[in-house]
Amino acid sequence: MPSLAELQQQFREAVITGEVQRAAPAALIGGHEPSKRLAVHARNYETSLVEALLVKFPATGWLIGTPFLREAARRFVHEHPPQGPCIAEYGAGFPNFLSNLVRARLPYIRDFSELEWHVGQVAIAVNSPSVNAGEFSTIDAARLPDTTLKLQPGLRYLDLEWPVDDLLKLYLTETVPDQFELTRARAWIEVRGARGEFHLNRLDRGEFTFRKSISHGRSIGDAAEHALDVNSKFDPGQALAGLIAAGLITAINCGRLCTKNPGRS
Amino acid sequence: MTSISHHPGVGLRLPHLAEMVVTRPTAGWLEVHPENFLANPHAAELLTELSAHYPISLHTVGISVGSATGIDCLHLKRIRDFADRINPILVSGHLAWSAYKNEYINDLLPLPYTEEALRIVSAHVNQVQDGLGRPYLIENPASYLGFQSSTMRETDFLSELVQRTACQLLCDVSNVVVSAHNMDFDPYQYIDDFPAGAVREVHLGGYTPEADEATPSAELWIDTHAAPIAEPSWDLYVYALRRFGPRPTLIEWDNQLPSLPALMNEAAYANKIALEVGHAFAR
């Protein structure tokens, strides 16, 4: 008699691969050919995850066709089972997987589906109260470069090889132009969302680099240096003011560097 | 809200969440799958708002107490944090497994009823109850398969689990109907053998008959939660209430969701049955 772990390994193989007859454990009970009932579990596994992916990538389905997307999702769930029980978190690797299937025909598919994934993620975020300009007055100006900032949770920064935000906007507005030509060109996109809504902002490379660096926990000074590396005309003061004005900063962390009231940290 | 009503509750799924917040229909209580909220802060925010108006029960689908390779402690911690935020009246899960090592198989898979499985499930239920700081209710599964290696009946396994862990039980009456049909046993005898004293909650859900690939010209009943509750489930529900006494009852509907009012009608029908059985559920 196999141990429980051995039995579950056999089940895992049968359900995830979908090859029920080949991988079914011996000594099952249920009907005349019990191993055939294992197909119910294999089907539950496949169907629930495929449907979850289709719900997350409707625009991608619009672009490549739902039957093709469904087949790609079906292959994905068999090759890449979830690593955790929250299915809302499942699918981050699907854009890359999809790209490997159709890159030759649709070279922008990875960018497009990745953008859609992140739109879905930010749209379920919840905004935190934002910091106002007055709170920056608590920081000694000389120490400002060493200060780090916490940004809203519903923010993503995507450096894309194709301007697929234009394509996504066609889907969102249900626009069907007679002709649409997508030309390869880098696009720096800020995806911002919360409570069911989202916005796509195309940024210039300097501002994008600054904001992305801040979102990764870099200090203001570090982020500004990175931004200046890619755009010599980058203005750190204006960029910081832009972050504040857009309500994107939720906390200031100046540690022991603040010389006045440290405020939130 | 912290006290449970004997008026039947409904499973609250994400497509109904916003409508529920706006319309706040009469419902005894609400049950959610916490896994649908852990990675969805907006939904969690709305549920927190609802928790001020309805008792909430958490029905976990990812803890996997039957996994021989252990349970996910990080996930358990997330459930605990969520429970601390929602303050649920009940927290429950399944007599099943759904994880193998670090892979999550998105279904409730069957266990053999052996001493080894009992030892593993008991250890995990203890771990879950310690981790949650609350009692954990275990639900009987809907079965399509069993194991020749089983050495005890499901009801014996559950009784022994209660003895070893002091856990409580969730009796899914529709699962009993489905399993009895598929595995060829008497559902009424099952209710007679079920450890009634440990039952803290009852579930009712719809199932879908389909051709049984394993047996020519036979039907297999699938626990889809995609249909109205069938007559055999209502009949067994009456029998179960007579045996268990009044217990909080939940209408589960997960797929091909009806309108929220239609879901509430199923709960109202359960309440009518409970009243006819003679229990003053509607107080």
Side-chain angles (χ1 to χ4, degrees):
Chain A
M1 185 173 77
S3 68
L4 187 61
E6 290 165 339
L7 184 70
Q8 292 183 348
Q9 185 177 21
Q10 291 173 321
F11 250 81
R12 176 255 169 235
E13 185 70 10
V15 171
I16 290 183
T17 64
E19 296 174 15
V20 198
Q21 292 293 336
R22 180 185 63 79
L28 295 173
I29 297 171
H32 293 166
E33 288 184 78
S35 61
K36 289 191 173 176
R37 288 194 179 175
L38 197 47
V40 173
H41 292 294
R43 186 182 65 197
N44 285 348
Y45 169 79
E46 180 184 294
T47 305
S48 62
L49 293 177
V50 166
E51 291 304 319
L53 289 173
L54 292 183
V55 166
K56 286 174 193 167
F57 294 96
T60 303
W62 163 82
L63 188 63
I64 65 174
T66 303
F68 186 87
L69 182 68
R70 182 180 292 278
E71 177 57 21
R74 199 188 68 74
R75 290 173 61 174
F76 180 75
V77 305
H78 290 299
E79 292 179 32
H80 301 279
Q83 303 293 297
C86 295
I87 299 308
E89 294 167 341
Y90 180 60
F94 187 57
N96 258 335
F97 181 85
L98 193 57
S99 172
N100 289 334
L101 295 180
V102 291
R103 187 167 34 206
R105 185 164 60 91
L106 295 173
Y108 47 85
I109 192 66
R110 191 191 66 80
D111 281 358
F112 186 80
S113 52
E114 187 162 319
L115 177 61
E116 183 172 31
W117 167 261
H118 287 290
V119 164
Q121 293 296 298
V122 303
I124 56 174
V126 171
N127 272 342
S128 300
S130 55
V131 165
N132 60 44
E135 294 182 59
F136 277 87
S137 65
T138 63
I139 304 167
D140 183 333
R143 299 295 188 186
L144 193 60
D146 297 316
T147 299
T148 59
L149 306 172
K150 188 174 177 189
L151 302 186
Q152 293 287 2
L155 277 173
R156 300 289 186 278
Y157 292 95
L158 305 180
D159 181 351
L160 303 175
E161 293 179 26
W162 295 80
V164 289
D165 51 330
D166 286 341
L167 200 49
L168 186 61
K169 284 170 187 169
L170 289 182
Y171 166 76
L172 293 169
T173 56
E174 299 183 2
T175 305
V176 187
D178 291 338
Q179 192 174 355
F180 180 80
E181 190 170 336
L182 193 67
T183 305
R184 185 171 189 153
R186 282 180 80 174
W188 297 280
I189 309 292
E190 178 185 71
V191 188
R192 179 184 184 184
R195 298 186 175 95
E197 296 184 352
F198 65 91
H199 306 281
L200 303 175
N201 302 322
R202 204 180 282 192
L203 305 175
D204 72 44
R205 192 175 180 186
E207 189 169 17
F208 174 88
T209 303
F210 179 73
R211 290 189 178 193
K212 184 174 182 178
S213 299
I214 293 285
S215 75
H216 285 179
R218 300 269 192 167
S219 68
I220 293 172
D222 262 2
E225 275 185 32
H226 275 79
L228 282 162
D229 284 345
V230 298
N231 179 0
S232 59
K233 293 180 179 171
F234 174 74
D235 181 340
Q238 194 175 19
L240 184 57
L243 272 182
I244 298 167
L248 300 186
I249 303 171
T250 63
I252 305 168
N253 184 1
C254 47
R256 290 184 297 176
L257 301 172
C258 298
T259 54
K260 302 177 186 175
N261 180 355
R264 279 181 268 191
S265 64
Chain B
M1 296 181 73
T2 55
S3 64
I4 194 161
S5 162
H6 281 304
H7 192 286
V10 295
L12 176 62
R13 304 301 172 243
L14 293 179
H16 285 155
L17 184 58
E19 183 182 355
M20 196 80 194
V21 169
V22 172
T23 62
R24 279 202 222 144
T26 301
W29 49 293
L30 306 175
E31 186 162 283
V32 300
H33 297 161
E35 285 81 1
N36 291 342
F37 292 81
L38 292 177
N40 188 332
H42 181 42
E45 182 181 59
L46 294 176
L47 185 67
T48 304
E49 186 181 332
L50 283 174
S51 70
H53 305 283
Y54 298 95
I56 307 284
S57 161
L58 301 183
H59 190 48
T60 64
V61 292
I63 286 186
S64 191
V65 294
S67 282
T69 53
I71 61 174
D72 181 342
C73 294
L74 180 61
H75 182 59
L76 183 59
K77 172 71 167 58
R78 291 176 81 184
I79 297 282
R80 168 64 186 258
D81 292 345
F82 189 65
D84 287 346
R85 175 175 172 183
I86 298 295
N87 194 21
I89 38 140
L90 298 168
V91 184
S92 56
H94 302 85
L95 181 61
W97 66 281
S98 51
Y100 183 79
K101 296 183 177 172
N102 62 342
E103 289 176 340
Y104 180 73
I105 306 163
N106 196 36
D107 195 18
L108 301 168
L109 299 168
L111 285 164
Y113 298 130
T114 61
E115 179 56 39
E116 183 201 13
L118 182 58
R119 196 170 58 248
I120 288 169
V121 173
S122 298
H124 290 160
V125 168
N126 282 330
Q127 191 180 346
V128 170
Q129 295 191 126
D130 289 346
L132 294 177
R134 296 167 168 81
Y136 192 55
L137 280 63
I138 294 292
E139 175 183 339
N140 56 298
S143 299
Y144 315 108
L145 287 169
F147 299 88
Q148 289 176 16
S149 57
S150 288
T151 55
M152 59 189 104
R153 297 176 305 170
E154 190 169 285
T155 46
D156 296 332
F157 190 96
L158 287 166
S159 296
E160 191 60 31
L161 185 63
V162 169
Q163 288 293 319
R164 294 188 187 190
T165 67
C167 72
Q168 301 172 345
L169 297 178
L170 188 173
C171 182
D172 189 316
V173 168
S174 297
N175 283 359
V176 177
V177 171
V178 165
S179 297
H181 172 84
N182 294 338
M183 304 306 293
D184 195 23
F185 64 78
D186 177 359
Y188 291 86
Q189 183 64 49
Y190 184 99
I191 294 294
D192 285 344
D193 296 336
F194 204 81
V199 176
R200 292 290 173 275
E201 181 181 349
V202 171
H203 272 185
L204 286 163
Y207 55 81
T208 307
E210 66 175 41
D212 184 1
E213 298 292 328
T215 309
S217 68
E219 272 188 352
L220 188 68
W221 290 1
I222 309 292
D223 179 38
T224 54
H225 296 180
I229 293 152
E231 209 55 42
S233 294
W234 289 123
D235 292 344
L236 191 64
Y237 178 53
V238 170
Y239 189 79
L241 287 183
R242 287 189 180 133
R243 169 148 163 72
F244 302 153
R247 291 289 184 275
T249 299
L250 183 95
I251 306 298
E252 277 190 306
W253 204 319
D254 291 289
N255 298 301
Q256 298 174 38
L257 278 178
S259 68
L260 193 54
L263 188 60
M264 294 303 172
N265 283 343
E266 287 280 88
Y269 188 64
N271 193 44
K272 178 173 173 285
I273 286 182
L275 288 169
E276 285 171 3
V277 172
H279 299 294
F281 281 16
R283 281 179 301 181

Coordinates of all heavy atoms in Angstrom, one line a residue, chain B residues 152-218:
Chain B
M152 N -11.7 2.7 7.5 CA -12.9 3.2 8.3 C -13.8 4.0 7.4 O -13.4 4.4 6.3 CB -12.4 4.0 9.5 CG -11.6 5.2 9.2 SD -10.9 6.0 10.6 CE -9.2 5.5 10.5
R153 N -15.0 4.1 7.8 CA -16.0 4.9 7.1 C -15.7 6.4 7.3 O -15.0 6.8 8.3 CB -17.4 4.6 7.5 CG -17.9 3.2 7.3 CD -19.2 3.0 7.9 NE -19.2 3.3 9.4 CZ -20.3 3.4 10.1 NH1 -21.5 3.2 9.6 NH2 -20.2 3.8 11.4
E154 N -16.2 7.2 6.4 CA -16.0 8.7 6.5 C -16.5 9.2 7.8 O -15.8 10.0 8.5 CB -16.7 9.4 5.3 CG -16.3 10.8 5.2 CD -16.9 11.4 3.8 OE1 -16.3 11.0 2.8 OE2 -17.9 12.1 3.9
T155 N -17.6 8.8 8.2 CA -18.2 9.2 9.5 C -17.4 8.8 10.7 O -17.2 9.6 11.7 CB -19.7 8.8 9.7 OG1 -19.7 7.4 9.4 CG2 -20.6 9.5 8.8
D156 N -16.8 7.6 10.6 CA -15.9 7.2 11.7 C -14.6 8.1 11.7 O -14.1 8.4 12.8 CB -15.5 5.7 11.5 CG -16.7 4.8 11.6 OD1 -17.6 5.2 12.3 OD2 -16.6 3.7 10.9
F157 N -14.1 8.4 10.5 CA -12.9 9.2 10.4 C -13.2 10.6 11.0 O -12.4 11.1 11.8 CB -12.6 9.3 8.9 CG -11.2 10.0 8.6 CD1 -10.1 9.2 8.4 CD2 -11.1 11.4 8.6 CE1 -8.9 9.8 8.1 CE2 -9.9 11.9 8.3 CZ -8.8 11.2 8.1
L158 N -14.4 11.1 10.7 CA -14.7 12.5 11.2 C -14.9 12.4 12.8 O -14.5 13.3 13.5 CB -16.0 13.0 10.6 CG -15.8 13.4 9.1 CD1 -17.2 13.6 8.4 CD2 -15.0 14.8 9.1
S159 N -15.5 11.4 13.3 CA -15.7 11.2 14.7 C -14.4 11.2 15.4 O -14.2 11.8 16.5 CB -16.5 9.9 15.0 OG -17.8 10.0 14.5
E160 N -13.5 10.4 14.9 CA -12.2 10.3 15.5 C -11.4 11.6 15.4 O -10.7 12.0 16.3 CB -11.4 9.1 14.8 CG -10.1 8.7 15.5 CD -10.3 8.2 16.9 OE1 -11.4 7.6 17.2 OE2 -9.4 8.5 17.8
L161 N -11.6 12.3 14.3 CA -10.9 13.6 14.1 C -11.4 14.6 15.2 O -10.6 15.3 15.8 CB -11.2 14.2 12.7 CG -10.5 15.4 12.3 CD1 -9.0 15.3 12.3 CD2 -11.0 15.9 10.9
V162 N -12.7 14.6 15.5 CA -13.3 15.4 16.5 C -12.7 15.0 17.9 O -12.3 15.9 18.7 CB -14.8 15.3 16.5 CG1 -15.4 16.0 17.7 CG2 -15.4 15.9 15.2
Q163 N -12.6 13.8 18.1 CA -12.0 13.3 19.4 C -10.6 13.8 19.6 O -10.2 14.2 20.6 CB -12.0 11.7 19.4 CG -13.4 11.1 19.6 CD -14.0 11.5 21.0 OE1 -13.3 11.4 22.0 NE2 -15.3 11.8 21.0
R164 N -9.8 13.7 18.5 CA -8.4 14.0 18.6 C -8.1 15.5 18.6 O -7.0 15.9 19.1 CB -7.6 13.3 17.5 CG -7.6 11.8 17.5 CD -6.7 11.2 16.5 NE -6.8 9.8 16.4 CZ -6.0 8.9 15.7 NH1 -5.0 9.4 15.1 NH2 -6.2 7.6 15.7
T165 N -8.9 16.3 18.0 CA -8.6 17.7 17.8 C -9.5 18.7 18.5 O -9.3 19.9 18.5 CB -8.5 18.0 16.3 OG1 -9.8 17.9 15.8 CG2 -7.6 17.1 15.6
A166 N -10.7 18.1 18.9 CA -11.8 19.0 19.4 C -12.2 20.0 18.3 O -12.7 21.1 18.6 CB -11.3 19.8 20.7
C167 N -12.0 19.6 17.1 CA -12.5 20.5 16.0 C -14.0 20.3 15.9 O -14.6 19.5 16.6 CB -11.9 20.1 14.6 SG -12.5 18.6 13.9
Q168 N -14.7 21.2 15.2 CA -16.1 21.2 15.0 C -16.4 20.7 13.5 O -15.4 20.6 12.7 CB -16.7 22.5 15.3 CG -16.4 22.9 16.8 CD -16.9 24.3 17.1 OE1 -17.1 25.1 16.3 NE2 -16.9 24.5 18.4
L169 N -17.6 20.5 13.2 CA -17.9 20.0 11.9 C -18.9 20.8 11.1 O -19.8 21.5 11.7 CB -18.5 18.6 12.0 CG -17.5 17.5 12.6 CD1 -18.2 16.2 12.6 CD2 -16.2 17.4 11.7
L170 N -18.8 20.8 9.8 CA -19.7 21.5 8.9 C -20.3 20.3 8.1 O -19.6 19.6 7.4 CB -19.0 22.5 8.0 CG -19.8 23.4 7.1 CD1 -18.8 24.4 6.5 CD2 -20.6 22.7 6.0
C171 N -21.6 20.1 8.2 CA -22.2 19.0 7.5 C -22.8 19.6 6.2 O -23.8 20.3 6.2 CB -23.3 18.3 8.3 SG -24.0 16.9 7.4
D172 N -22.2 19.2 5.1 CA -22.7 19.7 3.8 C -23.7 18.6 3.3 O -23.3 17.5 2.9 CB -21.6 19.8 2.7 CG -22.2 20.5 1.4 OD1 -23.3 20.1 1.0 OD2 -21.5 21.4 0.9
V173 N -25.0 18.9 3.5 CA -26.0 17.9 3.2 C -26.0 17.5 1.7 O -26.2 16.3 1.4 CB -27.4 18.5 3.7 CG1 -28.5 17.6 3.1 CG2 -27.5 18.5 5.2
S174 N -25.8 18.5 0.9 CA -25.8 18.1 -0.6 C -24.6 17.3 -0.9 O -24.7 16.4 -1.8 CB -25.8 19.4 -1.4 OG -26.9 20.2 -1.2
N175 N -23.5 17.5 -0.2 CA -22.3 16.6 -0.4 C -22.7 15.1 0.0 O -22.2 14.2 -0.7 CB -21.1 17.0 0.4 CG -20.4 18.2 -0.2 OD1 -20.8 18.7 -1.3 ND2 -19.4 18.7 0.4
V176 N -23.4 15.0 1.0 CA -23.9 13.6 1.4 C -24.7 13.0 0.3 O -24.5 11.8 -0.1 CB -24.6 13.7 2.8 CG1 -25.1 12.3 3.1 CG2 -23.8 14.3 3.9
V177 N -25.6 13.8 -0.2 CA -26.5 13.3 -1.3 C -25.6 12.9 -2.5 O -25.8 11.8 -3.1 CB -27.5 14.4 -1.7 CG1 -28.3 14.0 -3.0 CG2 -28.5 14.6 -0.6
V178 N -24.7 13.8 -2.9 CA -23.8 13.5 -4.1 C -23.0 12.3 -3.8 O -22.9 11.3 -4.7 CB -23.0 14.7 -4.4 CG1 -21.8 14.4 -5.3 CG2 -23.8 15.9 -4.9
S179 N -22.3 12.2 -2.7 CA -21.4 11.1 -2.4 C -22.2 9.8 -2.3 O -21.8 8.7 -2.8 CB -20.7 11.3 -1.0 OG -19.9 12.5 -1.1
A180 N -23.4 9.8 -1.7 CA -24.2 8.6 -1.5 C -24.6 8.1 -2.9 O -24.5 6.9 -3.1 CB -25.4 8.9 -0.7
H181 N -25.0 9.0 -3.8 CA -25.3 8.5 -5.1 C -24.1 7.9 -5.8 O -24.1 6.8 -6.4 CB -25.8 9.7 -6.0 CG -26.0 9.3 -7.4 ND1 -27.2 8.7 -7.9 CD2 -25.2 9.5 -8.5 CE1 -27.1 8.5 -9.2 NE2 -25.9 8.9 -9.6
N182 N -23.0 8.7 -5.8 CA -21.8 8.2 -6.5 C -21.1 7.0 -6.0 O -20.5 6.2 -6.7 CB -20.8 9.4 -6.6 CG -21.3 10.6 -7.4 OD1 -22.2 10.4 -8.2 ND2 -20.7 11.8 -7.1
M183 N -21.1 6.9 -4.6 CA -20.4 5.8 -4.0 C -21.3 4.7 -3.4 O -20.9 3.8 -2.7 CB -19.5 6.4 -2.8 CG -18.5 7.5 -3.3 SD -17.5 7.0 -4.7 CE -16.5 5.8 -3.9
D184 N -22.6 4.9 -3.7 CA -23.6 3.9 -3.5 C -23.7 3.5 -2.0 O -23.4 2.4 -1.5 CB -23.2 2.6 -4.3 CG -24.4 1.6 -4.3 OD1 -25.5 2.1 -4.1 OD2 -24.1 0.4 -4.5
F185 N -24.1 4.5 -1.2 CA -24.4 4.3 0.2 C -25.7 5.0 0.6 O -26.2 5.8 -0.2 CB -23.2 4.6 1.2 CG -22.8 6.1 1.2 CD1 -23.6 7.0 2.0 CD2 -21.7 6.5 0.6 CE1 -23.2 8.3 2.0 CE2 -21.3 7.8 0.6 CZ -22.0 8.8 1.3
D186 N -26.2 4.7 1.8 CA -27.5 5.3 2.2 C -27.2 6.7 2.9 O -26.6 6.7 3.9 CB -28.1 4.3 3.2 CG -29.4 4.9 3.8 OD1 -29.8 6.0 3.4 OD2 -30.1 4.2 4.6
P187 N -27.7 7.8 2.3 CA -27.4 9.1 2.8 C -28.1 9.3 4.2 O -27.5 10.0 5.1 CB -28.0 10.0 1.8 CG -29.0 9.3 1.0 CD -28.5 7.8 1.0
Y188 N -29.2 8.6 4.5 CA -29.8 8.8 5.8 C -29.0 8.1 6.9 O -28.9 8.6 8.0 CB -31.3 8.3 5.7 CG -32.1 9.2 4.8 CD1 -32.1 9.0 3.4 CD2 -32.8 10.3 5.3 CE1 -32.9 9.9 2.6 CE2 -33.5 11.1 4.5 CZ -33.6 10.9 3.1 OH -34.3 11.8 2.3
Q189 N -28.5 6.9 6.5 CA -27.6 6.2 7.5 C -26.4 7.1 7.8 O -25.9 7.1 8.9 CB -27.2 4.9 6.9 CG -26.4 4.0 7.9 CD -27.2 3.6 9.1 OE1 -28.3 3.1 9.0 NE2 -26.6 3.9 10.3
Y190 N -25.9 7.7 6.7 CA -24.7 8.6 6.9 C -25.0 9.7 7.9 O -24.2 10.0 8.9 CB -24.3 9.2 5.6 CG -23.1 10.1 5.6 CD1 -21.8 9.6 5.2 CD2 -23.1 11.4 6.0 CE1 -20.7 10.4 5.2 CE2 -22.0 12.2 6.1 CZ -20.8 11.7 5.6 OH -19.6 12.5 5.7
I191 N -26.2 10.3 7.8 CA -26.6 11.4 8.8 C -26.7 10.8 10.2 O -26.3 11.4 11.2 CB -27.9 12.1 8.3 CG1 -27.7 12.8 7.0 CG2 -28.4 13.0 9.4 CD1 -26.7 14.0 7.1
D192 N -27.3 9.6 10.2 CA -27.4 8.9 11.5 C -26.0 8.7 12.2 O -25.9 8.8 13.4 CB -28.1 7.5 11.4 CG -29.6 7.7 11.1 OD1 -30.1 8.8 11.4 OD2 -30.2 6.7 10.7
D193 N -25.0 8.4 11.4 CA -23.7 8.1 11.9 C -22.8 9.4 12.1 O -21.8 9.3 12.6 CB -23.0 7.1 10.9 CG -23.7 5.8 10.8 OD1 -24.4 5.4 11.8 OD2 -23.5 5.1 9.8
F194 N -23.3 10.5 11.5 CA -22.5 11.7 11.6 C -22.4 12.2 13.0 O -23.4 12.2 13.7 CB -23.1 12.8 10.7 CG -22.2 13.8 10.2 CD1 -21.4 13.6 9.1 CD2 -22.1 15.1 10.9 CE1 -20.5 14.6 8.7 CE2 -21.3 16.1 10.4 CZ -20.5 15.8 9.3
P195 N -21.3 12.6 13.5 CA -21.1 13.0 14.9 C -21.9 14.4 15.2 O -21.4 15.5 15.1 CB -19.6 13.2 15.1 CG -19.0 13.2 13.8 CD -20.0 12.6 12.8
A196 N -23.2 14.2 15.5 CA -24.1 15.3 15.5 C -23.7 16.4 16.5 O -23.9 17.6 16.3 CB -25.5 14.8 15.8
G197 N -23.1 16.0 17.6 CA -22.8 16.9 18.7 C -21.7 17.9 18.2 O -21.6 19.0 18.8
A198 N -21.0 17.6 17.2 CA -19.9 18.5 16.7 C -20.4 19.4 15.6 O -19.6 20.3 15.2 CB -18.7 17.7 16.3
V199 N -21.6 19.3 15.1 CA -22.0 20.0 13.9 C -22.3 21.5 14.4 O -23.2 21.7 15.2 CB -23.3 19.4 13.3 CG1 -23.8 20.3 12.1 CG2 -22.9 18.0 12.8
R200 N -21.7 22.4 13.7 CA -21.9 23.8 14.0 C -22.5 24.6 12.8 O -22.9 25.7 12.9 CB -20.6 24.5 14.4 CG -20.1 24.1 15.7 CD -20.9 24.6 16.9 NE -20.5 24.0 18.2 CZ -20.9 22.8 18.6 NH1 -21.8 22.1 17.9 NH2 -20.4 22.3 19.8
E201 N -22.5 23.9 11.6 CA -23.0 24.6 10.4 C -23.4 23.5 9.4 O -22.9 22.4 9.4 CB -21.8 25.4 9.8 CG -22.2 26.2 8.6 CD -21.0 27.0 8.0 OE1 -20.0 27.1 8.6 OE2 -21.2 27.5 6.8
V202 N -24.4 23.9 8.6 CA -24.9 23.0 7.5 C -24.8 23.8 6.2 O -25.1 25.0 6.2 CB -26.4 22.6 7.8 CG1 -27.0 21.9 6.6 CG2 -26.5 21.8 9.1
H203 N -24.4 23.1 5.2 CA -24.3 23.6 3.8 C -25.4 22.9 2.9 O -25.6 21.7 3.1 CB -23.0 23.4 3.2 CG -22.0 24.5 3.5 ND1 -20.7 24.5 2.9 CD2 -22.0 25.6 4.3 CE1 -20.1 25.6 3.3 NE2 -20.8 26.3 4.2
L204 N -25.9 23.7 2.0 CA -26.7 23.2 0.9 C -26.2 23.8 -0.4 O -26.1 25.0 -0.4 CB -28.2 23.6 1.1 CG -29.0 22.9 2.2 CD1 -30.2 23.6 2.6 CD2 -29.3 21.4 1.8
G205 N -26.1 23.0 -1.4 CA -25.6 23.5 -2.7 C -26.2 22.7 -3.8 O -26.7 21.6 -3.6
G206 N -26.1 23.2 -5.0 CA -26.7 22.5 -6.2 C -25.6 21.6 -6.8 O -24.4 21.8 -6.7
Y207 N -26.1 20.5 -7.4 CA -25.2 19.6 -8.1 C -25.7 19.3 -9.5 O -26.9 19.7 -9.8 CB -25.0 18.3 -7.3 CG -26.3 17.5 -7.0 CD1 -26.9 16.7 -8.0 CD2 -26.9 17.6 -5.8 CE1 -28.1 16.1 -7.7 CE2 -28.1 17.0 -5.5 CZ -28.7 16.2 -6.4 OH -29.8 15.5 -6.1
T208 N -24.9 18.8 -10.4 CA -25.2 18.6 -11.8 C -25.0 17.1 -12.2 O -23.8 16.7 -12.1 CB -24.4 19.5 -12.6 OG1 -24.5 20.9 -12.1 CG2 -24.8 19.5 -14.1
P209 N -26.0 16.4 -12.6 CA -25.8 15.1 -13.1 C -25.1 15.1 -14.5 O -25.4 15.9 -15.3 CB -27.2 14.5 -13.2 CG -28.1 15.5 -12.5 CD -27.4 16.8 -12.6
E210 N -24.3 14.1 -14.7 CA -23.7 13.9 -16.0 C -23.4 12.4 -16.2 O -23.5 11.6 -15.2 CB -22.4 14.7 -16.2 CG -21.3 14.3 -15.3 CD -20.0 15.0 -15.5 OE1 -20.0 16.2 -15.8 OE2 -18.9 14.3 -15.5
A211 N -23.1 12.0 -17.4 CA -22.8 10.6 -17.7 C -21.6 10.2 -16.9 O -20.6 10.9 -16.8 CB -22.6 10.4 -19.2
D212 N -21.7 9.0 -16.3 CA -20.6 8.4 -15.5 C -19.7 7.7 -16.5 O -20.0 6.6 -16.9 CB -21.1 7.6 -14.4 CG -20.0 7.0 -13.5 OD1 -18.8 7.4 -13.8 OD2 -20.3 6.3 -12.6
E213 N -18.5 8.2 -16.8 CA -17.6 7.6 -17.7 C -17.1 6.2 -17.2 O -16.7 5.3 -17.9 CB -16.4 8.4 -18.0 CG -16.7 9.8 -18.6 CD -17.1 9.6 -20.1 OE1 -16.7 8.7 -20.7 OE2 -18.0 10.5 -20.5
A214 N -17.2 6.1 -15.9 CA -16.7 4.8 -15.2 C -17.7 3.7 -15.3 O -17.4 2.6 -15.0 CB -16.3 5.1 -13.8
T215 N -19.0 4.0 -15.5 CA -20.0 3.0 -15.5 C -21.0 3.3 -16.6 O -21.7 4.3 -16.6 CB -20.8 3.1 -14.1 OG1 -19.8 3.0 -13.1 CG2 -21.7 1.9 -14.0
P216 N -21.1 2.4 -17.6 CA -22.0 2.6 -18.7 C -23.5 2.8 -18.3 O -23.9 2.2 -17.3 CB -21.9 1.3 -19.5 CG -20.6 0.7 -19.1 CD -20.4 1.1 -17.7
S217 N -24.1 3.8 -18.9 CA -25.5 4.2 -18.7 C -25.8 4.6 -17.2 O -27.0 4.6 -16.8 CB -26.5 3.1 -19.2 OG -26.4 2.0 -18.3
A218 N -24.8 4.9 -16.5 CA -25.1 5.5 -15.1 C -24.8 7.0 -15.1 O -24.1 7.5 -15.9 CB -24.2 4.7 -14.1

